[in-house]
Structure formats: C-alpha cells, structure tokens
Amino acid sequence: MKLILTGPTGRIGSSTLRYCLDSPSVASLVVLSRRPLPFEQELSPAQRSKLQTVIMTREDYLTYPPHILDQLQGAEGCIWALGSVTGSSTEIETDYPVIAATAFKKHLMPPLKAQSKKFRFVFVSGMVVKESWATDNLWFFADSRKAKAGGLHYTLALDDGDAFNTLGVMTSNVVVEESRWN
C-alpha cells in the first residue's frame, strides 16, 4: 500500500514514519514535509527504497498544484500528523488539513473508487480536542485546541461514507524509542 505522511519531523510524525518504513504492509511512503528530513541519510537501504520526500512550501499546502498531486497518485491513505509548535496557527492546524483532504478527495479518491478501493484520511493530534470546540469555554491552551479541533471537525465532515473515509485520532502520549533518529 502507498501512504502519505505529513509532519515527519515532529514527535508523532517521526514515530509514525519509523513504523511505516518498517511495516511490510507499506510498500511506498510519500512524506510531505516543510523541511528536509534530518535523519534520512541514516535510513537503511530498504527503508530508503520505500521513502519519497516532497518538500512543501506554504503555497503548496494551500493549493496542491498538479506536480505535487502527480507524486501522490496511487496513495490509499494519508496520516496527517502536521502541526505547529504552539498549535495556535489556524492556517497550519485547520486550513492545511482541510485543503489537503479536499484535494485528495477530488484528485486521489476517484481512481481508487473505480478499483473498489477507499482513500482513508487519518487526522492525528496530541492536542486535547473535542467535537464541541466552537462553543466550549476552554480553560487551557484555548487557541491551540480550537485551531486543531477546527481541522478535525472539517476533515471529519468530508467523510462520504463510501470511498473517502476520515478518522480522528487523539493521542495522549507517544512512546518514542531511543534510536539513532532522536
């Protein structure tokens, strides 16, 4: 299976990257990153053969131009682990995932549907978010939690119950193994 992963240099994304590269179920992993992977040269030849890194600009995340979408063709899912350090950027936390999920639904899902396959968009966050984000009076990290919850809310709304499925995963902790990547 071919997957897309965002946020590969963060705590959640880097752990997810490691597991995807070691999984026999993942044949190809396209990483969308804002910067080069600092540990890419440390990967084994088998891991490197699975990995394709696409450096994305702000404009790329906001538009998904054809040269980016062409590299993603054939992907059956996306693990969205991209976030900002503070979590308070509405553009990064809300706009980026919604624009990505919308582009993937429009451009990547139809060829899969024709083959009776589905595209799955998994929104991952370590942030404490909940569905009632718009109306709640949040006591801590309010801006961060509302921005991240907006991304979750609007990506979940794109689920069509058929060939485009979305899922929100809120982690309470990520156990990071001591490795050469950290």
Side-chain angles (χ1 to χ4, degrees):
M1 163 186 346
K2 180 176 181 177
L3 287 178
I4 301 163
L5 172 67
T6 66
T9 60
R11 187 167 183 87
I12 294 170
S14 63
S15 293
T16 304
L17 173 68
R18 180 175 43 251
Y19 290 114
C20 286
L21 290 177
D22 289 340
S23 172
S25 299
V26 178
S28 175
L29 183 66
V30 181
V31 170
L32 305 181
S33 182
R34 294 176 284 186
R35 58 184 176 269
L37 303 180
F39 46 78
E40 197 164 346
Q41 69 282 355
E42 298 175 23
L43 299 175
S44 71
Q47 291 170 321
R48 254 186 261 122
S49 71
K50 284 184 168 186
L51 181 65
Q52 177 186 352
T53 304
V54 178
I55 304 300
M56 301 275 285
T57 65
R58 177 180 178 269
E59 191 63 27
D60 292 336
Y61 281 109
L62 293 172
T63 61
Y64 283 86
H67 76 275
I68 299 289
L69 291 169
D70 288 346
Q71 296 177 72
L72 305 178
Q73 284 300 323
E76 294 181 47
C78 173
I79 302 170
W80 190 273
L82 178 66
S84 64
V85 175
T86 62
S88 60
S89 168
T90 302
E91 182 173 282
I92 293 172
E93 305 293 353
T94 305
D95 298 346
Y96 282 11
V98 173
I99 291 166
T102 302
F104 300 165
K105 184 175 184 175
K106 181 178 180 182
H107 297 284
L108 304 182
M109 184 264 297
L112 293 173
K113 187 175 182 176
Q115 301 171 37
S116 299
K117 293 183 178 181
K118 297 179 181 209
F119 188 94
R120 292 180 172 90
F121 189 95
V122 181
F123 184 97
V124 183
S125 175
M127 200 52 78
V128 180
V129 298
K130 53 192 233 183
E131 194 61 30
S132 58
W133 63 277
T135 58
D136 280 1
N137 183 13
L138 303 176
W139 290 57
F140 61 93
F141 304 121
D143 291 343
S144 303
R145 292 171 62 199
K146 285 185 178 186
K148 187 61 98 169
L152 171 65
H153 174 79
Y154 294 118
T155 55
L156 290 177
L158 291 169
D159 190 311
D160 65 10
D162 183 24
F164 192 85
N165 302 140
T166 58
L167 174 69
V169 177
M170 303 302 115
T171 63
S172 60
N173 192 16
V174 176
V175 177
V176 179
E177 297 175 22
E178 288 299 318
S179 75
R180 63 184 183 268
W181 296 10
N182 296 328

